[in-house]
Amino acid sequence: MYIPPSYIVIHCNHELYYIDMVFLVFTTCFTITVKETHCVPRICEVYAMEKPTVALVYQAVQALYHDPDPAGKERASVWLGELQRSMYAWEMADQLLQLKQDVESCYFAAQTMKMKIQMSFFELPPETHIALRDSLLSHIQSLKDLSPIIVTQLALAIADLALQMASWKGCVHTLIEKYSNDVSSMTFLIEILTVLPEEVHSRSLRIGANRRTEIIEDLAYYSSTVVTLLMTCVEKSGSNEKMLIKVFRCLGSWFNLGVLDSNFMANNQLLMVLFQVLQRDETSTNLHEAASDCVCSALYAIENVDTHMPLALQLFQGVLTLETAYHMAVAREDLDKVLNYCRIFTELCETFLETTVRSPGQGMGDLRTLELLLICAGHPQYEVVEISFNFWYRLGENLYKTNDPALHGIFRPYIQRLLHGLARHCQLDPDHEGIPEDTDDFGEFRMRVSDLVKDVIFLVGSMECFSQLYSTLKEGNPPWEVTEAVLFIMAAIAKSVDPENNPTLTEVLEQVVLLPETVHIAVRYTSIELVGEMSEVVDRNPRFLDPVLNYLMKGLREKTLASVAAKAIHNICSVCRDHMAQHFQGLLDIARALDSFALTTEAAVGLLKGTALVLARLPLEKIAECLSDLCAVQVMALKKLLSQDPRNGKAADPTVWLDRLAVIFRHTNPIVENGQTHPCQKVIQEIWPVLSETLNTHQADNRIVERCCRCLRFAVRCVGKGSASLLQPLVTQMVSVYQVYPHSCFLYLGSILVDEYGMEEGCRQGLLDMLQALCMPTFQLLEQTNGLRNHPDTVDDLFRLATRFVQRSPITLLSSGIIVHIIQCAIAATTLDHRDANCSVMKFVRDLIHTGVSNDHEDDFDLRKQLIGQAMGQHGQQLVTQLMHTCCFCLPPYTLPDVAEVLWEIMVFDRPTFCRWLESALKGLPKETSGGAVTVTHKQLTDFHKQVTSAEECKQVCWAIREFTRLFR
């Protein structure tokens, strides 16, 4: 059995563990359990069950599929899951496949075999690999007629074995030589040849870049043999549909891997067969889809057109011949085929996008490709045109970057026709009742249209398009559904039209607010959306403010229009804050009567946000009273809830009122000069007892406590250091509740307090006491089995708090006893692949080390450097080793820039010592896979070490890590 370097094997209670030695260095504060060492492949495998008999396994499989009792099924599922994780799974799966009793047991066995090869291949000694290969090939041959899904699972198992088993040279050649002359073996042979290229980049297999490169070169070498085999299959099977589908799937798989020779494929008969199938009207739906998928894969594979010119030309010409077939599918109302053709046309346009922009109308920049997409845009089903959206986005982006007016002029007519088609697709049914739905499929389609229009409108001109749309309403008398769709497109582009001295915009606004209440409710709904989008026009033309507000108030009073009207009022308040100050009393009246309107939660909160934004523009002397009035409704509601007797043991939910207070505090940001008392300070002090009592009452409910903390966070941010009188009682309550109910939001709130008060000399010790009091229960939580993985929010918020301390009062933290335990926790948590949590951990470590690097002319720099030096001397080697293991085995690629920043800071702090630490860490990495393939060569290790240690900027470290970690993925 393969044991990577630096690992030990531990027997405990008859269970066997692999543990990375790195994890045995932790001190008593952080005892990392075995299950938390998931960061390195092959680290941990537990064998806790007794060896079962094959009869018992078969019985469990039968229970899983046929037990009428759900509890029985669940027990069987759990037991079989344990079996699959054990060493006995190999033998049991092999025996079940030999017995061939039924589909269920064979499927379970085949799936188990695939899973074990993917996830636990390291369990098998190298000398067993050949026997395993021969056994799998024997099983797939004997089970080929039992069920296609079993064949697929075994094909995947064989493919994954071939990819990991370095001693199996030329596996494609071996398989073709062994089975190609046996017609009955052709189905599973093609299945293996289909999944083999697909598995090369599988995330389940960590074969590493070296092995992957070796495999791809090997597959490329035998690719023409595979294509020849596929063509022979087509010739022998004639019009056998199932075989054609298998052939096209297999060919598509090899196209996707990018190993087929372009010249060879351009002249291959298989390409002609592919287009013949797509041109034939009588082709079945399944075969048509398989052929379409294959063509799309081929087009994707030649995206770098210049290096695949012969094949690119054949595909380009072949796709252009499908226009007639598309029209035939439309005539027959065969939507499946229509969608397939549109996928092909879109992929064609995406592949030749750069060619089309570079030389429009010439050669393979032929603009007939765009005509094909516009033909699809004319199809009555909106799902067809939606397929092409990504291409139009990319075209718009490409043309925006080139910024060539002449080029824009060539493409403008195509975009105009697209917009015309999109406006038509956005029309509601003439018999539609009520407002447009945002959440159904059609509503989501309209939102995507809105986004697309915003992205391509520059090619047509916002003002020109807006005017043309308005003229269709002004000059004609279109049906309501046309009017509504035009208003919808106008709303999408309204913000991109220059509002300065624009008579068309003011005329539109003037006409919209005069719409009678008798028009269709959907027209009124969309017209209100348009008014909200035209808030900048109102700001430039304040004479419209009153009629606009009157129009929106009418909508606010109607049940179906209330939420959209509230959103529009919010937009007006956000943009026209100074003009709206005179209307504050009206906004206050709305806020007081908020629950009398039929508003969604989001709309109600939006109205309060708008009101708070306007409130912040009032004279300072009026703000306190007005804020008190605005908060009064919410505070009274909270008091009422607190005074009620809890029914059925549960108090009423205060989150609505807490969220409303939070949004008020968040957006009331008046400009306060130095020395002036913050106008909101007194109000927040008065509200504090109610918030404190609410927090106490609901301390066991994480959701409500989170809302309380959020509300307090914005209250503290609102008045800044003006909240000093709340600091002591707030911290006392936070720590008290956290000891019993460790809600992570208290840690986040603590970070806000440190951010606001951490630089105040008189507050530092109190804040450090808070940190220490919060850390103890946090460490206890995270030390539990899988504690880090099960509580990522706690990890995230703990290190936000620690980072704030580093930023605001580094000496206070570095001089304390808690820093050692926080660093140890951080090292353990670097393995966590939760995006936010990992980001917070890395930021803490980076900022911590940076305090010893950054000489910001403060008197304490030498002391900071000394303290960081002590911490790094104690934990530096462990940290670097852990980060390298983490990079290679735990973290997704998007986290690597954060890791690079940490390594960079360590290196800047002490480059010679870092060089030694990195060398030691690299020596501990496994050099071979369990299949015998070389993971990393000595030269690659030394090159990486040199690249990192000689780097002159952080991004060079990041590039080096990205390339290096590919060797282990």
Side-chain angles (χ1 to χ4, degrees):
M1 194 180 296
Y2 170 70
I3 301 175
S6 84
Y7 292 6
I8 61 171
V9 179
I10 292 180
H11 291 274
C12 178
N13 298 329
H14 306 292
E15 296 180 8
L16 176 64
Y17 302 96
Y18 283 12
I19 303 181
D20 183 351
M21 287 292 287
V22 173
F23 288 92
L24 302 181
V25 189
F26 292 97
T27 65
T28 52
C29 172
F30 247 78
T31 306
I32 301 302
T33 65
V34 171
K35 288 186 180 177
E36 285 171 348
T37 65
H38 59 273
C39 76
V40 185
R42 305 174 291 277
I43 282 181
C44 171
E45 185 64 48
V46 182
Y47 310 121
M49 67 182 337
E50 296 294 325
K51 182 179 178 179
T53 63
V54 71
L56 183 61
V57 177
Y58 180 75
Q59 187 180 337
V61 174
Q62 291 302 301
L64 179 66
Y65 284 100
H66 303 295
D67 194 327
D69 178 14
K73 283 180 181 287
E74 179 62 26
R75 283 193 299 273
S77 176
V78 171
W79 189 86
L80 288 169
E82 286 182 18
L83 172 67
Q84 286 182 318
R85 288 188 292 275
S86 79
M87 274 291 287
Y88 308 122
W90 296 101
E91 185 181 345
M92 293 299 108
D94 187 58
Q95 288 186 24
L96 284 172
L97 290 169
Q98 283 179 25
L99 289 172
K100 232 176 15 174
Q101 287 183 283
D102 52 36
V103 171
E104 288 98 340
S105 62
C106 288
Y107 176 73
F108 169 77
Q111 186 191 45
T112 300
M113 204 57 101
K114 178 203 72 175
M115 192 184 84
K116 293 298 285 184
I117 291 171
Q118 281 184 345
M119 314 301 290
S120 308
F121 188 56
F122 65 93
E123 293 176 353
L124 297 179
E127 60 269 19
T128 64
H129 294 171
I130 293 174
L132 174 62
R133 178 193 67 188
D134 295 344
S135 174
L136 287 172
L137 291 172
S138 172
H139 289 318
I140 199 169
Q141 189 161 28
S142 67
L143 294 165
K144 61 181 181 292
D145 299 321
L146 186 60
S147 168
I149 59 171
I150 294 171
V151 171
T152 299
Q153 292 297 309
L154 288 172
L156 283 165
I158 292 164
D160 292 339
L161 176 64
L163 297 177
Q164 294 182 87
M165 186 176 160
S167 60
W168 189 359
K169 305 291 185 185
C171 63
V172 171
H173 177 70
T174 306
L175 291 166
I176 291 176
E177 195 174 57
K178 185 171 184 177
Y179 297 113
S180 61
N181 294 322
D182 178 8
V183 176
S184 66
S185 301
M186 201 56 71
T187 52
F188 73 77
L189 174 60
I190 292 180
E191 188 67 23
I192 296 171
L193 294 175
T194 301
V195 298
L196 183 61
E198 292 171 352
E199 290 294 286
V200 170
H201 294 290
S202 168
R203 293 186 180 182
S204 302
L205 298 176
R206 301 182 72 100
I207 56 176
N210 287 334
R211 175 63 178 158
R212 195 169 281 113
T213 301
E214 181 187 343
I215 291 161
I216 290 172
E217 287 173 357
D218 191 55
L219 295 182
Y221 183 78
Y222 290 110
S223 62
S224 56
T225 308
V226 173
V227 175
T228 302
L229 172 73
L230 295 178
M231 191 60 224
T232 305
C233 286
V234 172
E235 290 168 351
K236 287 182 178 178
S237 64
S239 57
N240 184 325
E241 183 180 305
K242 286 185 178 179
M243 183 53 75
L244 275 177
I245 290 172
K246 285 183 176 296
V247 166
F248 291 157
R249 273 191 59 229
C250 186
L251 182 61
S253 176
W254 286 75
F255 269 126
N256 285 332
L257 190 60
V259 294
L260 294 180
D261 180 81
S262 293
N263 292 320
F264 177 75
M265 286 309 302
N267 301 309
N268 195 276
Q269 198 71 15
L270 206 49
L271 210 59
M272 191 187 302
V273 173
L274 202 56
F275 283 109
Q276 284 173 351
V277 166
L278 288 169
Q279 288 162 355
R280 280 204 302 265
D281 184 36
E282 62 273 14
T283 299
S284 72
T285 302
N286 290 339
L287 181 56
H288 197 275
E289 184 174 9
S292 299
D293 289 342
C294 188
V295 170
C296 288
S297 296
L299 287 165
Y300 184 80
I302 60 152
E303 197 147 26
N304 190 355
V305 174
D306 294 338
T307 59
H308 299 281
M309 198 57 79
L311 179 57
L313 186 60
Q314 289 296 322
L315 289 170
F316 186 87
Q317 292 172 345
V319 174
L320 289 181
T321 65
L322 299 179
E323 183 181 346
T324 304
Y326 168 83
H327 288 299
M328 184 61 74
V330 173
R332 294 189 180 279
E333 297 184 359
D334 190 335
L335 184 59
D336 289 331
K337 286 186 179 179
V338 167
L339 292 169
N340 286 336
Y341 288 125
C342 188
R343 283 196 297 126
I344 293 171
F345 298 156
T346 302
E347 200 65 59
L348 177 77
C349 289
E350 297 238 28
T351 296
F352 293 95
L353 172 61
E354 290 185 13
T355 309
T356 307
V357 171
R358 192 170 59 238
S359 52
Q362 301 170 29
M364 284 185 281
D366 194 327
L367 294 175
R368 280 184 295 168
T369 56
L370 298 191
E371 290 288 350
L372 288 174
L373 284 196
L374 290 173
I375 289 169
C376 292
H379 192 277
Q381 297 289 332
Y382 69 83
E383 294 92 344
V384 179
V385 69
E386 194 171 16
I387 291 171
S388 66
F389 277 14
N390 190 61
F391 164 74
W392 296 112
Y393 281 125
R394 285 186 60 204
L395 177 64
E397 185 180 35
N398 217 299
L399 292 171
Y400 186 80
K401 286 177 181 174
T402 57
N403 195 23
D404 180 346
L407 195 60
H408 291 186
I410 293 171
F411 289 95
R412 184 173 294 119
Y414 295 94
I415 301 299
Q416 285 173 330
R417 287 164 60 191
L418 174 68
L419 294 176
H420 180 77
L422 292 176
R424 191 177 64 256
H425 278 296
C426 284
Q427 291 174 18
L428 299 166
D429 291 333
D431 57 355
H432 179 88
E433 295 180 359
I435 62 173
E437 289 291 337
D438 290 338
T439 53
D440 62 7
D441 289 346
F442 185 57
E444 289 178 5
F445 166 75
R446 283 174 37 121
M447 287 301 103
R448 289 195 67 197
V449 168
S450 177
D451 292 340
L452 177 58
V453 169
K454 289 170 186 172
D455 279 2
V456 300
I457 194 62
F458 74 93
L459 285 164
V460 178
S462 303
M463 189 60 240
E464 182 185 342
C465 183
F466 195 85
S467 299
Q468 284 177 356
L469 289 167
Y470 177 52
S471 67
T472 62
L473 302 180
K474 186 178 176 183
E475 294 164 10
N477 185 23
W480 75 263
E481 66 274 13
V482 175
T483 300
E484 191 278 335
V486 169
L487 290 171
F488 177 78
I489 301 295
M490 290 171 72
I493 61 177
K495 281 186 177 174
S496 60
V497 181
D498 184 5
E500 204 67 54
N501 301 319
N502 195 319
T504 304
L505 285 175
T506 54
E507 185 182 341
V508 168
L509 196 58
E510 203 167 13
Q511 292 301 313
V512 167
V513 298
L514 293 175
L515 277 175
E517 294 181 28
T518 53
V519 300
H520 195 286
I521 193 77
V523 174
R524 290 182 64 199
Y525 180 95
T526 306
S527 68
I528 290 171
E529 281 189 323
L530 175 58
V531 169
E533 293 297 308
M534 296 179 71
S535 48
E536 288 194 21
V537 181
V538 178
D539 192 45
R540 301 288 201 291
N541 301 274
R543 68 182 188 277
F544 286 117
L545 189 57
D546 284 349
V548 163
L549 289 176
N550 288 334
Y551 180 67
L552 296 179
M553 280 304 299
K554 287 179 187 174
L556 192 63
R557 294 188 189 100
E558 289 191 36
K559 185 176 180 180
T560 51
L561 300 176
S563 291
V564 71
K567 184 181 176 184
I569 293 171
H570 165 214
N571 285 351
I572 298 289
C573 289
S574 300
V575 176
C576 314
R577 293 167 70 175
D578 292 323
H579 297 309
M580 283 298 293
Q582 60 182 306
H583 292 281
F584 181 76
Q585 188 58 48
L587 291 172
L588 189 58
D589 292 340
I590 292 171
R592 284 171 174 156
L594 209 54
D595 292 312
S596 67
F597 303 109
L599 297 173
T600 63
T601 302
E602 183 185 2
V605 168
L607 257 180
L608 288 173
K609 176 185 172 182
T611 305
L613 290 170
V614 175
L615 168 62
R617 293 300 174 93
L618 297 180
L620 281 184
E621 62 273 11
K622 290 187 177 181
I623 288 178
E625 181 187 350
C626 292
L627 177 63
S628 183
D629 289 343
L630 187 58
C631 293
V633 176
Q634 340 304 330
V635 174
M636 289 302 294
L638 287 174
K639 285 180 177 177
K640 186 177 178 183
L641 292 180
L642 290 169
S643 67
Q644 291 174 359
D645 290 330
R647 295 172 185 172
N648 301 322
K650 187 177 179 182
D653 189 349
T655 53
V656 170
W657 314 105
L658 291 169
D659 287 349
R660 291 181 183 182
L661 280 174
V663 79
I664 292 168
F665 295 146
R666 183 177 189 176
H667 297 286
T668 304
N669 299 310
I671 299 168
V672 181
E673 302 292 336
N674 283 338
Q676 287 182 309
T677 303
H678 198 290
C680 304
Q681 183 177 323
K682 183 170 177 287
V683 179
I684 288 172
Q685 285 172 346
E686 290 169 355
I687 292 172
W688 158 248
V690 181
L691 295 176
S692 175
E693 191 179 347
T694 302
L695 179 56
N696 231 32
T697 302
H698 299 278
Q699 60 183 272
D701 189 322
N702 182 62
R703 186 177 63 91
I704 295 175
V705 171
E706 273 194 353
R707 302 305 232 289
C708 279
C709 287
R710 185 169 175 272
C711 188
L712 287 164
R713 162 194 166 194
F714 290 124
V716 170
R717 287 295 197 201
C718 175
V719 296
K721 293 180 178 59
S723 62
S725 61
L726 304 183
L727 190 58
Q728 196 270 333
L730 175 55
V731 169
T732 301
Q733 186 171 9
M734 283 166 55
V735 170
S736 172
V737 175
Y738 193 77
Q739 304 300 315
V740 186
Y741 301 106
H743 304 299
S744 72
C745 53
F746 286 124
L747 299 170
Y748 188 91
L749 184 55
S751 73
I752 302 298
L753 297 176
V754 172
D755 194 38
E756 291 290 342
Y757 296 100
M759 298 181 77
E760 300 292 312
E761 189 63 45
C763 297
R764 285 175 176 171
Q765 187 57 46
L767 291 171
L768 180 62
D769 292 342
M770 174 194 75
L771 173 66
Q772 290 174 323
L774 293 174
C775 275
M776 285 305 116
T778 303
F779 291 156
Q780 289 170 13
L781 185 70
L782 299 181
E783 282 177 347
Q784 295 171 5
T785 303
N786 281 331
L788 294 168
R789 184 165 289 280
N790 293 340
H791 303 282
D793 291 343
T794 299
V795 176
D796 182 14
D797 292 333
L798 171 66
F799 287 102
R800 283 176 185 270
L801 170 56
T803 302
R804 290 295 191 192
F805 242 111
V806 169
Q807 293 167 344
R808 294 289 177 258
S809 186
I811 297 295
T812 307
L813 180 62
L814 287 165
S815 305
S816 70
I818 198 71
I819 185 62
V820 174
H821 305 304
I822 293 175
I823 291 173
Q824 289 166 346
C825 182
I827 292 171
T830 56
T831 64
L832 204 54
D833 59 0
H834 183 281
R835 184 187 289 264
D836 293 337
N838 192 273
C839 182
S840 291
V841 171
M842 295 300 176
K843 181 167 175 53
F844 162 72
V845 180
R846 178 218 168 269
D847 286 5
L848 182 73
I849 300 164
H850 188 69
T851 57
V853 174
S854 172
N855 187 354
D856 42 17
H857 308 294
E858 292 191 18
D859 297 337
D860 62 2
F861 174 67
D862 290 338
L863 179 56
R864 275 188 281 137
K865 187 170 183 179
Q866 179 190 339
L867 291 169
I868 292 297
Q870 291 172 2
M872 291 307 294
Q874 191 174 352
H875 304 286
Q877 178 66 75
Q878 184 189 355
L879 174 61
V880 173
T881 302
Q882 179 78 328
L883 286 173
M884 287 313 304
H885 274 270
T886 294
C887 282
C888 295
F889 302 119
C890 299
L891 299 181
Y894 65 77
T895 62
L896 296 183
D898 295 337
V899 179
E901 286 190 2
V902 175
L903 292 173
W904 170 256
E905 291 296 339
I906 299 172
M907 186 163 66
V908 171
F909 182 76
D910 186 347
R911 194 176 288 252
T913 307
F914 171 76
C915 291
R916 293 196 301 274
W917 288 341
L918 182 60
E919 182 181 358
S920 175
L922 294 176
K923 284 178 180 176
L925 294 173
K927 311 302 186 294
E928 280 190 1
T929 68
S930 50
V934 175
T935 304
V936 56
T937 64
H938 179 72
K939 184 178 186 303
Q940 286 170 327
L941 287 170
T942 53
D943 286 351
F944 172 69
H945 187 276
K946 184 178 179 181
Q947 287 167 357
V948 172
T949 54
S950 63
E952 296 182 358
E953 52 186 344
C954 184
K955 64 182 179 183
Q956 292 173 314
V957 176
C958 186
W959 290 335
I961 289 174
R962 279 190 192 282
E963 287 305 310
F964 184 71
T965 54
R966 287 194 180 105
L967 299 171
F968 298 87
R969 293 188 188 282

